[in-house]
Amino acid sequence: MVATLFPQRPVCREVVLGIDFGGTKVALATASADRVDRPLRTARLPTRGAEGAERVLRRSLDAARALAGRGALHAVGVSTFGVVRGGTVRLAPTVPGWEGLELPRLLREEFGDTPVAIDNDVNAAASAELRWGALRGASTALYLNLGTGLAAALVVGGRVVPGAHGAAGEIGYLLSRPGESAFADGRAPLEEVVSGQALARRGSTLLGRQVSAASLFGARADPSVRALLDGAVESLAMAIANVCVVLDPERVVVGGGMMGAAEQIMPRLAAEVRRAVPFPPELVSARFVDDAPLYGALALALSACGGT
């Protein structure tokens, strides 16, 4: 759910700032208000979540200040993992202290009278795809993010649907079988099978060394790795097909860091969607793969200062 911290909507004249708080990295960019899809300056820093929310936020805001320099910012857009609700971040266990963080208030203190808009990272990514990318022109659609975590954004009437609590599309909490551990038990059943973080953890245990999800897809010759990946993609495909049955989208756009293995993921998704969905949607790769939430943050900034 987009939270605009300041109601005024001035005309953008110069530079807007986007900040994407991610589970493994924080990405920042400035852009001219008339060409937000072409950043002027960018910066990245590791999240280092173990340091805690306060340190992560302070390092990020220091980087934002350095990136913006002495120029006036006309708006700021922020995307974050989790869900912003009631002035705090929810569903964000990745960084200690991010759950319950009063991020809107802290941003207001940092940026003063500059308009700020904030949304969760996947909704922000979908906003970027709607404005400039593979969702452009779609009325009813699904954006799927395959990254460190797992989530989706629902598009209805050409707009991202936040849901009653800002948590629409949190498919990581979907159940795959009756009675399994669920949200009330502190679990995210589908995310624990499919996400990049989950695959890296399970693959590392399987192989006895630290590996990333990306490197696992390059090690499919190992039968145990192949079985792990096939099971994960099968679970994902079933879940996406079920969501498509409910939403009846015209298009499904898939992005996120795991799309480096798109040739192994997309055909399985397409096959399951064709098999299970009465009116199968078009299935395409996102325009913005790794940086969609950052471009989404810039899109939020543009909206916050009245840009079209």
Side-chain angles (χ1 to χ4, degrees):
M1 181 180 298
V2 178
T4 301
L5 304 186
F6 302 99
Q8 65 266 36
R9 294 171 63 85
V11 175
C12 284
R13 295 185 300 277
E14 294 183 7
V15 175
V16 296
L17 169 69
I19 306 174
D20 168 40
F21 292 105
T24 57
K25 71 177 184 301
V26 179
L28 309 95
T30 57
S32 171
D34 60 352
R35 289 310 307 264
V36 178
D37 60 331
R38 294 189 178 182
L40 299 171
R41 302 178 67 194
T42 61
R44 295 174 187 271
L45 54 151
T47 303
R48 299 210 299 261
E51 295 180 356
E54 183 178 346
R55 290 286 300 277
V56 172
L57 184 61
R58 180 43 48 202
R59 287 191 297 106
S60 302
L61 294 179
D62 288 345
R65 196 178 301 111
L67 192 70
R70 296 180 180 274
L73 289 175
H74 289 272
V76 178
V78 176
S79 67
T80 178
F81 51 93
V83 171
V84 180
R85 175 168 168 77
T88 63
V89 181
R90 305 285 301 278
L91 305 182
T94 308
V95 173
W98 210 263
E99 176 82 23
L101 184 70
E102 294 181 343
L103 187 58
R105 176 183 63 79
L106 296 168
L107 293 171
R108 186 164 54 243
E109 292 174 356
E110 175 70 21
F111 294 107
D113 292 334
T114 302
V116 180
I118 181 171
D119 203 348
N120 79 56
D121 50 1
V122 178
N123 284 351
S127 296
E129 294 292 339
L130 278 167
R131 189 179 285 271
W132 301 297
L135 285 171
R136 193 167 187 174
S139 176
T140 305
L142 178 70
Y143 173 79
L144 174 64
N145 186 77
L146 303 177
T148 304
L150 173 69
L154 312 181
V155 175
V156 177
R159 300 175 65 88
V160 176
V161 176
H165 306 94
E170 292 291 334
I171 62 172
Y173 295 98
L174 287 175
L175 300 171
S176 60
R177 63 181 186 276
E180 71 179 320
S181 297
F183 173 73
D185 309 301
R187 306 292 292 275
L190 185 60
E191 186 172 79
E192 291 174 13
V193 172
V194 174
S195 69
Q197 185 178 55
L199 286 174
R201 182 176 61 251
R202 296 169 68 200
S204 297
T205 299
L206 190 67
L207 297 175
R209 65 179 189 276
Q210 287 297 120
V211 296
S212 65
S215 65
L216 278 179
F217 279 99
R220 282 182 60 88
D222 185 310
S224 60
V225 171
R226 185 165 58 250
L228 171 64
L229 295 176
D230 286 349
V233 175
E234 180 181 326
S235 296
L236 175 65
M238 181 175 66
I240 297 309
N242 285 338
V243 173
C244 287
V245 169
V246 174
L247 182 62
D248 186 27
E250 63 197 84
R251 194 177 307 160
V252 175
V253 172
V254 188
M258 284 173 59
M259 283 298 283
E263 73 283 354
Q264 298 180 47
I265 295 172
M266 295 292 277
R268 294 282 296 276
L269 293 184
E272 188 68 5
V273 165
R274 286 195 302 269
R275 188 183 75 85
V277 182
F279 300 97
E282 177 187 20
L283 188 72
V284 298
S285 298
R287 174 186 173 184
F288 305 107
V289 179
D290 294 323
D291 287 330
L294 177 59
Y295 281 97
L298 290 170
L300 291 173
L302 185 63
S303 298
C305 67
T308 58

